[in-house]
Amino acid sequence: MILNLYVQVILHSAVSALGVEALLLLWKVQKPAQRWRYRLLALLLPLLTVPAFRLLDPSWGSAAFRAGEALLDSKRWLDLKLGGVTGKIAAWAVLAAGILGFLLQEVKPLILEFWKDKFPHRALEDFPSLVSSLGCWSRISPGDAPVVEILDTDEPLSKCKGGKRAAIILSSGLLHRVDDKELLSILAHEAAHLRKKDHQYGWALLFIRCLHAANPVGLLVFRKLGEENEKWCDDLSVAVTGDPFSLASALIHVYRGSVVKTQYSWDWYRSGTRALGAKARRAVIVARIKRLLETRSYGESLLEPWRLGVTAISLAFLLFRVV
Amino acid sequence: MASAVMREVGKSVVTMAAVLGGISVLLAGLNRLPVVLQPEVSHRFKDFPGVLEAERELGARIWIPAYFPDSLSWPPALVRVEKSEPPVVVLGILRNPDHDLALLLLQSLGKGDFQPLSVPPVNEVVETRRMTVKGMSALLSRTVDGSGRIWTRLQWETPSRRFLLIGRASSEELIRMAGSVGGGHR
């Protein structure tokens, strides 16, 4: 039962992701905001369709359904035996590896975050350029300037935190590296996150990520969703400042500062995964910088909200025949 | 403006159809692959869209009951031929309106071994009794499956075929259906 459910969610994730990526490519959807919505659809559909189909149609997944109506019957693969290994054993192995990966990649850092020594804070007044940028906050976002916390670390950091009491977190390492224009671009980027309420929706997304815990396809889609969100906020930042190059330049500082020193540790796992994680993060930063340096505007289809709806319904119909 | 919208609608529909069609073909291929890789283990049977297609492939008539309770849905949701010797035909019939599997009719097209694969497992045999169907000896039993559901089984044979009816209907209905099974016109 658990294995069947797991395999069905993975299959539905794969079909949804494949359909969404193909449509994004063929329809030439370029705007990050739209791409983000399509990818959210690919993340949500498998979580909704599998329980909905089971509830709405009790025959869904039955032997008769699998034999007659299913376009892809996962049981055929689970029953397949190659090289002494059945599909069921392979699926259990993927499930176990997925759970382990989720615990190490997502849960462990979260727990360590609570327990590790916090960086000391610096006073806002230590950074006059930041004070003056916050003084003209109305130029980059409506409303009052948010709380800004400055962490005393050389690592260039810039992010938002909090639920109802939102705050922008910057590091002294970042503030020492950037000039006034770059700082304004970064603040405009973080302001975009706050305006979109990402600090609140982030918890909902984390919950969805937990539901996809052992799903490797879900993990990939989730990563792409995060990247698209950063690009979306880059666009909102540039729309306010009109200066993509300062944001690109600020990201170069972040890139340079995040290059980790090679760690010759006996703890091969720790150094290996850190290096891998840093490499992936840096690849995303490079993609964002390249995108900012390309001066082009993205057109929007007149049909856009409808196309998303039709995509959702069409994929749901297709997924009904994947069991 | 209107023509631009129509053109975009057309392009979007064609693209959507192409993507869904492409994925469907891919899925159908993936569904077929285990059969290609391991026909002897995974697929000792073949499913057909309908009774006529199965008859065409077998070159023989499939006998079906003339009597079906109204609660059952026709045509069968499952038409399967198990590639044993002799072949065994399995018809899976759903119940209205919940589309739950309600009846399995299995028949071997000969009098050899009758060990069909597509039979729900039996956890417990509650009752067994001998009786006759159309003057031929039959075995009626009531069984419980792994989910605690009761299934009635009726097994009998004619001079040319063996039959097994497995259903959630009452014994009386199963016996009536068995009595109406024949190779004549439908």
Side-chain angles (χ1 to χ4, degrees):
Chain A
M1 171 72 179
I2 290 172
L3 195 69
N4 279 344
L5 204 65
Y6 173 65
V7 172
Q8 279 163 6
V9 169
I10 288 190
L11 277 178
H12 282 210
S13 287
V15 172
S16 306
L18 186 65
V20 159
E21 292 302 321
L23 289 171
L24 286 177
L25 187 76
L26 293 170
W27 281 340
K28 296 187 175 69
V29 180
Q30 298 289 346
K31 281 186 89 172
Q34 290 169 355
R35 293 171 71 87
W36 185 87
R37 289 184 192 111
Y38 276 91
R39 292 204 161 119
L40 184 65
L41 176 71
L43 206 60
L44 286 177
L45 261 183
L47 297 177
L48 299 173
T49 49
V50 174
F53 293 159
R54 280 176 177 255
L55 282 172
L56 295 175
D57 185 353
S59 76
W60 191 77
S62 67
F65 184 91
R66 286 174 185 277
E69 292 180 55
L71 206 53
L72 174 61
D73 173 11
S74 58
K75 272 201 171 165
R76 289 189 175 192
W77 283 90
L78 292 176
D79 291 341
L80 186 68
K81 190 174 180 181
L82 288 175
V85 180
T86 63
K88 273 183 190 148
I89 293 173
W92 276 117
V94 173
L95 174 62
I99 291 172
L100 190 68
F102 176 71
L103 291 174
L104 292 175
Q105 271 205 325
E106 313 286 339
V107 179
K108 189 181 146 200
L110 215 62
I111 294 169
L112 290 179
E113 186 76 21
F114 281 110
W115 286 95
K116 78 173 183 186
D117 293 335
K118 306 282 185 221
F119 291 119
H121 281 62
R122 295 277 297 270
L124 210 63
E125 291 71 33
D126 294 348
F127 302 92
S129 59
L130 176 61
V131 174
S132 80
S133 293
L134 289 173
C136 53
W137 178 261
S138 58
R139 273 177 58 198
I140 54 175
S141 187
D144 296 333
V147 174
V148 176
E149 292 178 17
I150 302 162
L151 304 180
D152 192 16
T153 169
D154 196 42
E155 195 181 343
L157 293 174
S158 153
K159 56 184 177 181
C160 294
K161 75 157 193 181
K164 284 183 181 173
R165 289 168 57 88
I168 291 177
I169 299 180
L170 302 172
S171 69
S172 54
L174 179 76
L175 292 170
H176 285 310
R177 284 180 173 94
V178 295
D179 64 21
D180 288 356
K181 280 183 171 179
E182 291 163 351
L183 179 59
L184 198 69
S185 291
I186 288 174
L187 287 174
H189 175 95
E190 298 308 332
H193 277 300
L194 293 180
R195 227 168 35 244
K196 286 169 65 247
K197 298 192 186 306
D198 285 345
H199 54 292
Q200 291 173 359
Y201 296 142
W203 293 104
L205 284 176
L206 186 67
F207 177 68
I208 293 172
R209 171 71 188 96
C210 290
L211 294 178
H212 277 290
N215 176 1
V217 184
L219 172 66
L220 282 175
V221 177
F222 192 79
R223 288 277 152 94
K224 296 300 266 180
L225 191 76
E227 289 172 29
E228 223 58 77
N229 197 33
E230 291 305 318
K231 289 176 187 169
W232 186 357
C233 290
D234 286 349
D235 283 1
L236 292 173
S237 167
V238 171
V240 168
T241 62
D243 184 6
F245 303 118
S246 289
L247 184 57
S249 162
L251 286 173
I252 291 172
H253 290 304
V254 174
Y255 176 85
R256 284 183 178 155
S258 67
V259 175
V260 288
K261 295 182 188 107
T262 312
Q263 295 177 18
Y264 294 101
S265 165
W266 292 109
D267 192 347
W268 62 270
Y269 158 72
R270 193 176 290 175
S271 60
T273 48
R274 268 185 197 167
L276 203 67
K279 200 174 173 182
R281 278 193 298 279
R282 289 207 314 275
V284 173
I285 294 174
V286 169
R288 285 170 63 194
I289 293 168
K290 279 184 180 167
R291 191 174 161 274
L292 285 165
L293 296 179
E294 289 169 3
T295 48
R296 59 176 174 177
S297 60
Y298 301 121
E300 186 170 351
S301 167
L302 298 163
L303 308 171
E304 203 34 75
W306 296 100
R307 281 205 307 206
L308 183 65
V310 171
T311 303
I313 294 166
S314 307
L315 282 175
F317 272 106
L318 183 64
L319 292 175
F320 184 74
R321 301 189 63 192
V322 178
V323 63
Chain B
M1 177 69 178
S3 69
V5 172
M6 286 312 293
R7 204 165 43 242
E8 185 141 7
V9 168
K11 274 167 70 178
S12 297
V13 169
V14 169
T15 310
M16 172 73 82
V19 167
L20 295 181
I23 295 176
S24 299
V25 169
L26 178 70
L27 293 174
L30 286 172
N31 201 36
R32 183 93 188 112
L33 196 56
V35 189
V36 176
L37 291 173
Q38 211 166 52
E40 77 285 2
V41 175
S42 291
H43 291 276
R44 286 177 283 184
F45 53 78
K46 185 174 178 182
D47 294 326
F48 294 86
V51 173
L52 288 176
E53 287 83 351
E55 286 179 333
R56 204 172 298 134
E57 173 111 351
L58 289 165
R61 289 298 296 268
I62 295 170
W63 293 8
I64 53 175
Y67 165 72
F68 271 105
D70 288 338
S71 60
L72 297 182
S73 156
W74 186 264
L78 173 72
V79 180
R80 173 171 290 177
V81 175
E82 294 183 4
K83 296 170 183 171
S84 51
E85 191 50 54
V88 173
V89 178
V90 185
L91 302 181
I93 294 157
L94 306 183
R95 184 171 52 201
N96 283 324
D98 56 6
H99 300 300
D100 215 2
L101 183 67
L103 186 78
L104 279 172
L105 169 61
L106 300 99
Q107 56 189 286
S108 70
L109 304 187
K111 294 291 291 281
D113 277 350
F114 187 50
Q115 291 176 326
L117 302 165
S118 313
V119 176
V122 175
N123 247 29
E124 189 189 348
V125 178
V126 180
E127 175 196 3
T128 304
R129 66 184 155 105
R130 293 232 159 248
M131 53 176 306
T132 56
V133 170
K134 280 186 172 175
M136 284 164 284
S137 170
L139 188 68
L140 181 77
S141 53
R142 284 166 67 77
T143 62
V144 181
D145 70 8
S147 312
R149 290 183 301 187
I150 293 178
W151 293 86
T152 307
R153 292 171 176 241
L154 183 60
Q155 189 166 352
W156 78 102
E157 59 184 61
T158 66
S160 60
R161 298 184 183 200
R162 293 176 199 270
F163 290 91
L164 175 60
L165 255 180
I166 305 173
R168 307 208 53 210
S170 66
S171 305
E172 289 72 23
E173 280 196 317
L174 227 59
I175 293 163
R176 199 173 159 196
M177 273 188 273
S180 70
V181 170
H185 294 291
R186 273 168 215 161

